[in-house]
Amino acid sequence: MTSDRPAAPRAPTSADDWQDDAPYASGAPEHDFAVRRVTLIVLLIAAIVLPCAYVSVMAYDDLRTREAAASDVTMRTVRVAEEHALKVFDLNETLDARIVDLVQDLDDATVRNDESDIHEALDSIGGGYPQVAAISIFGASGALLANSLYYPVPYASIANRDDFVGIRDGKVIEHISRLMPGPQRLASTPVFNTGVARRHSDGSFAGMVSVALKASYFNAFYRDLLGGSKTPMTMALTRADGAVLASYPPTPSAALGAATGAARGAAQAERSPFGTPASDAHAGIVRASHGSDSEIVAYRQVGSYPVYVSCAYPTSAIWHDWYEHLSVLFVSMFAPSVVLWCVIWLSLKRLATEEEAWDRWQAEASMRRSIESAYRQSRKMQALGTLVGSVAHDFNNLLMIISSNVQLMRRRGGAHLDGELAAIERALKNGQSLTRQLLGVARKQPLRSETIDVTQWLGTCRELLKTSLGLKSSLSVDIQPGLWPIRVDVAELELAVINLAVNARDAMPAGGRFTVSARNMTFRREDGFPLTGDFAQIAFDDTGSGMAPDVLSRAFEPLFTTKAKGMGTGLGLPQVFAFCERSGGLATIDSAVGAGTSVRLYLPRANANDAPERPAHPALTAAPAASDAPAADGLHVLLVEDNDEVAAGTEALLGLLGHRVTYAANADDALQLIDETSAGGDFDLVISDIHMPGRLNGIDLAEALERRPQRLPVILVTGYAEELDRTRGVNVRVLSKPFDIALLDDILRGIHDARDARAAR
């Protein structure tokens, strides 16, 4: 078995082929383009890599320096803020102590009775400090007893507030509340409260002293510390749980609140991300992320108070400054580099142009030879197809002459020559098979396509395949469920399968396994396959000796064979390839020495709307008569045949069957005869060859007769027909040369009966 690709045109290698190229092969200067190209490429790579490496190192170092500077400035800033907050909270603790001493051992009623004096004292104690918003005294029940802003105090109770509950129950010594709206007299300035317990001398709980601190005081300090809106940094004062008490800008990023939570876990890390020691959970520096941005956050606890100061430096600001510096570095470094790159690139381009011109100059002769060789190969294949078709046509006429005379001898009584006639008939069948292969290779074999179920068809071919393979080899059939139907010429498909089975048998002289498988395949344009659409793939695999690459490349070449003389014609695989192409598909082959051969046939899926072929003339499809005797009143047949000997044999056969024959050498003469016999009324049937000399061929004759009022039945006889598809548009019956007289007799009897039925009506 052989290849799925025709051999590529081979360039001539004789002295005559090369003599015209002598001028191109002498006096050519040598150019080492490879060395020059490598040198320029190395220079280009160096001119690209070295500046890029330098810029990368400088950019990385600059980024690290900027991050370290940002880390340092946040740590220094947060230390200043921590010292400021510590002074405020220490002062606040002193104020709490003075107020506790002021109302020591006074019960709630006494405090209410002395509210006026206590109010003045509270106002005197806290009024001189800008951070203090108000001072309040609460009783043991949580009721407000006195306040530095209001006299008399309105009714208020904090019995359920977290800070009061925590101090009353002894859970905390000093409590700092969340940020809340301030008193109305301060225009609702946000404040946060610091509270301590007030106890009697016996240690019993007497209430709570609360100092409200202004968040705006801290905001203003942070603004001044950061330098206003010119800096990208942010600062905040937060509780240990991350609640923000004061910040600048007024709306801090989420990272500042999260920094306090990070501070509580900072003790787990030995060092910060920037190499700064994190001594404990009270101070450190972390990188906090929120959304698509991140910040460098430094934090410190304010003394032993449950509050932290945090300073954040957004990395986006670092990157922005870094990008600006990097752009300057890029321009200064790559401006001259780009000029150098362009020079080298232009040199490479010029070198490529020179090399291309050199290659064109060197390859001009070989290219011309290749084109001329391909043209000669194409002409050779075209001439071969024409020659094969012409020879096959003439050979079919010879076979027709032999066949008709053999059938005449049998009809006229040649019983004593049965053996000789049987030998001639066997030779006729072999000749028919050879002619059919020749016409298939030449693409001139008429195809009679029909829709078939591959699964059912392969089931009926098992015995045929086993017979072709012989007894030594085993057959395996694997069919995919739901296999699509295909539309092909069944006879040509069977011939292709027989050719493949015989090739497999010859490739496995000691026996082997021949596998036939079928499955559905869909190819799209992007698959890179020569076909697109739905196809049924029928694969034939053998375990034979396989083919060498040089044999595989010529596998589908007509008349090429590696078999011994008399064992092969070189037409088997070309017939397979030609059949698949003419069916709208493709045949491929894959083989290696010792690995067997695989041939795959891709045949197009039948369309759902494939209509049956147009029925022939009613007289041509009428049921044949039961009797084998000649008709009592035979038909008047107009026989149109350009070959005298074929016409003589066919006329004798028709006369033997009891029919009258009028002979015409071509279609033009036939039409003239029909016109001369009362518009054809004297003829019952026209039997015509398809290919004839003259203005009209047999198909033209059938089309002309169909347009006439008196439509005559037409039988077309052919050895090959390139225009056979045209017969589907006319009511004709087509017989292949050489035809069997019994088949012709059956058709003629049907026409005879149809004529008699019309006459009876």
Side-chain angles (χ1 to χ4, degrees):
M1 298 174 72
T2 49
S3 160
D4 62 352
R5 297 178 299 276
R10 181 180 61 85
T13 56
S14 67
D16 292 338
D17 293 326
W18 287 100
Q19 63 183 3
D20 292 339
D21 301 323
Y24 298 92
S26 62
E30 294 296 330
H31 291 280
D32 199 343
F33 292 103
V35 173
R36 292 168 60 187
R37 183 184 297 104
V38 170
T39 302
L40 288 173
I41 291 175
V42 169
L43 288 176
L44 181 60
I45 292 174
I48 295 174
V49 171
L50 292 179
C52 289
Y54 175 78
V55 170
S56 299
V57 172
M58 292 295 294
Y60 177 76
D61 182 68
D62 182 65
L63 180 61
R64 297 294 296 177
T65 301
R66 291 178 183 277
E67 288 180 341
S71 175
D72 181 64
V73 72
T74 53
M75 286 297 294
R76 286 188 284 106
T77 304
V78 84
R79 286 192 187 98
V80 175
E82 186 264 341
E83 291 176 2
H84 170 264
L86 181 60
K87 290 179 181 179
V88 172
F89 280 99
D90 285 345
L91 177 61
N92 191 70
E93 189 173 304
T94 302
L95 295 178
D96 287 339
R98 289 179 61 186
I99 297 168
V100 169
D101 291 340
L102 177 65
V103 294
Q104 182 70 36
D105 292 329
L106 297 180
D107 57 15
D108 293 354
T110 303
V111 173
R112 288 185 184 276
N113 291 333
D114 297 337
E115 180 183 355
S116 175
D117 296 335
I118 294 174
H119 165 70
E120 292 180 359
L122 293 178
D123 183 54
S124 175
I125 292 172
Y129 300 103
Q131 72 270 23
V132 177
I135 300 174
S136 302
I137 299 175
F138 296 92
S141 63
L144 178 62
L145 304 178
N147 184 269
S148 63
L149 293 179
Y150 299 100
Y151 175 79
V153 294
Y155 173 77
S157 176
I158 60 170
N160 296 323
R161 218 165 70 180
D162 292 343
D163 53 348
F164 180 80
V165 174
I167 291 174
R168 183 192 63 191
D169 297 341
K171 295 180 180 179
V172 292
I173 298 175
E174 183 174 5
H175 188 276
I176 298 175
S177 72
R178 290 178 176 269
L179 194 65
M180 60 184 64
Q184 292 183 355
R185 290 181 60 179
L186 296 179
S188 301
T189 300
V191 299
F192 58 90
N193 297 313
T194 61
V196 295
R198 183 170 63 88
R199 298 185 181 277
H200 295 299
S201 299
D202 58 0
S204 61
F205 180 72
M208 184 181 79
V209 174
S210 173
V211 178
L213 299 178
K214 299 176 183 178
S216 59
Y217 170 79
F218 293 93
N219 295 346
F221 177 78
Y222 295 154
R223 181 190 63 217
D224 296 339
L225 180 61
L226 295 178
S229 59
K230 297 180 180 179
T231 177
M233 294 190 295
T234 57
M235 290 200 67
L237 179 70
T238 60
R239 298 200 315 176
D241 61 357
V244 178
L245 303 177
S247 67
Y248 181 80
T251 305
S253 66
L256 287 173
T260 303
R264 305 181 69 180
Q268 300 175 0
E270 294 182 359
R271 299 186 68 82
S272 73
F274 307 100
T276 304
S279 57
D280 52 33
H282 306 293
I285 183 168
V286 296
R287 184 186 290 270
S289 299
H290 55 96
S292 60
D293 198 4
S294 64
E295 295 179 325
I296 299 172
V297 181
Y299 61 89
R300 291 184 69 87
Q301 186 176 3
V302 180
S304 60
Y305 298 103
V307 289
Y308 289 78
V309 286
S310 306
C311 182
Y313 201 117
T315 56
S316 59
I318 298 175
W319 283 88
H320 179 267
D321 295 340
W322 181 73
Y323 283 139
E324 289 184 350
H325 175 75
L326 190 62
S327 62
V328 175
L329 184 63
F330 261 81
V331 171
S332 61
M333 178 57 64
F334 287 109
S337 298
V338 168
V339 175
L340 180 59
W341 298 345
C342 291
V343 171
I344 298 176
W345 178 77
L346 289 174
S347 299
L348 281 170
K349 188 175 181 181
R350 181 175 179 180
L351 180 65
T353 303
E354 292 179 6
E355 186 175 12
E356 184 179 353
W358 170 266
D359 290 340
R360 284 200 306 268
W361 184 62
Q362 287 281 55
E364 183 179 348
S366 59
M367 186 184 302
R368 186 178 69 245
R369 288 196 307 273
S370 177
I371 294 172
E372 290 175 354
S373 176
Y375 176 72
R376 287 194 296 269
Q377 180 75 4
S378 175
R379 292 292 300 272
K380 182 178 72 175
M381 295 304 296
Q382 182 180 358
L384 178 62
T386 303
L387 177 63
V388 167
S390 177
V391 170
H393 178 264
D394 294 340
F395 191 52
N396 261 331
N397 283 336
L398 295 176
L399 293 178
M400 183 66 195
I401 295 169
I402 297 172
S403 174
S404 59
N405 283 282
V406 168
Q407 294 181 71
L408 282 171
M409 292 179 65
R410 284 197 178 278
R411 290 274 178 158
R412 290 173 177 172
H416 59 289
L417 297 175
D418 278 347
E420 290 79 358
L421 293 177
I424 296 174
E425 288 172 340
R426 287 194 299 272
L428 276 171
K429 288 184 179 180
N430 292 335
Q432 283 181 271
S433 177
L434 179 60
T435 305
R436 188 174 180 182
Q437 285 184 317
L438 286 170
L439 291 174
V441 172
R443 272 72 167 178
K444 298 181 183 294
Q445 173 67 22
L447 294 179
R448 297 175 178 84
S449 299
E450 58 181 287
T451 301
I452 64 168
D453 183 340
V454 180
T455 303
Q456 183 178 359
W457 176 80
L458 282 176
T460 61
C461 286
R462 280 181 177 270
E463 292 303 321
L464 179 64
L465 285 168
K466 289 180 179 179
T467 302
S468 302
L469 285 172
L471 299 176
K472 294 182 180 180
S473 300
S474 61
L475 173 65
S476 174
V477 178
D478 179 20
I479 303 175
Q480 179 191 53
L483 193 64
W484 293 325
I486 59 176
R487 186 168 180 80
V488 293
D489 186 319
V490 179
E492 285 293 311
L493 178 59
E494 289 179 354
L495 180 59
V497 170
I498 292 173
N499 285 332
L500 295 174
V502 170
N503 278 1
R505 180 198 65 195
D506 295 341
M508 301 183 293
R513 184 176 68 258
F514 186 66
T515 303
V516 181
S517 59
R519 63 192 184 106
N520 297 328
M521 300 286 290
T522 298
F523 299 106
R524 298 176 178 84
R525 188 180 301 277
E526 58 270 19
D527 295 335
F529 197 71
L531 302 174
T532 56
D534 295 334
F535 294 84
Q537 181 202 74
I538 308 177
F540 302 86
D541 301 281
D542 67 52
T543 57
S545 55
M547 288 178 284
D550 58 330
V551 176
L552 185 65
S553 66
R554 302 184 61 189
F556 288 132
E557 186 176 315
L559 305 179
F560 172 76
T561 181
T562 57
K563 296 180 181 179
K565 186 175 181 180
M567 295 295 294
T569 62
L571 297 174
L573 285 176
Q575 180 272 333
V576 174
F577 186 79
F579 156 69
C580 290
E581 274 199 334
R582 297 178 66 207
S583 299
L586 183 68
T588 65
I589 190 167
D590 188 22
S591 182
V593 176
T597 302
S598 177
V599 178
R600 287 171 171 76
L601 311 185
Y602 297 93
L603 299 171
R605 177 184 183 181
N607 296 325
N609 58 353
D610 279 341
E613 295 183 8
R614 182 177 177 180
H617 193 285
L620 297 175
T621 57
S627 173
D628 290 334
D633 181 14
L635 301 171
H636 187 187
V637 179
L638 176 59
L639 177 63
V640 188
E641 172 62 61
D642 62 310
N643 188 299
D644 294 339
E645 294 184 351
V646 173
T650 306
E651 186 174 357
L653 285 175
L654 292 171
L656 188 63
L657 294 175
H659 305 289
R660 251 182 336 122
V661 178
T662 298
Y663 171 68
N666 53 58
D668 299 306
D669 294 345
L671 280 177
Q672 185 176 354
L673 282 173
I674 293 173
D675 291 336
E676 291 173 354
T677 56
S678 302
D682 191 43
F683 295 110
D684 300 306
L685 171 68
V686 176
I687 299 178
S688 174
D689 192 9
I690 290 182
H691 285 271
M692 293 177 294
R695 184 173 57 88
L696 304 175
N697 62 21
I699 302 176
D700 297 327
L701 175 61
E703 290 176 344
L705 293 177
E706 189 173 10
R707 291 192 293 267
R708 298 190 173 214
Q710 185 69 27
R711 296 174 59 189
L712 289 174
V714 178
I715 298 176
L716 296 179
V717 183
T718 183
Y720 80 94
E722 293 178 314
E723 298 182 280
L724 193 63
D725 286 340
R726 286 179 56 197
T727 63
R728 304 182 192 280
V730 291
N731 291 324
V732 297
R733 179 72 176 265
V734 181
L735 296 180
S736 297
K737 292 181 181 179
F739 54 78
D740 186 2
I741 190 173
L743 175 60
L744 179 61
D745 189 24
D746 288 344
I747 297 173
L748 296 179
R749 287 180 183 276
I751 296 174
H752 182 275
D753 291 347
R755 186 199 64 179
D756 291 347
R758 288 196 304 272
R761 291 198 299 271

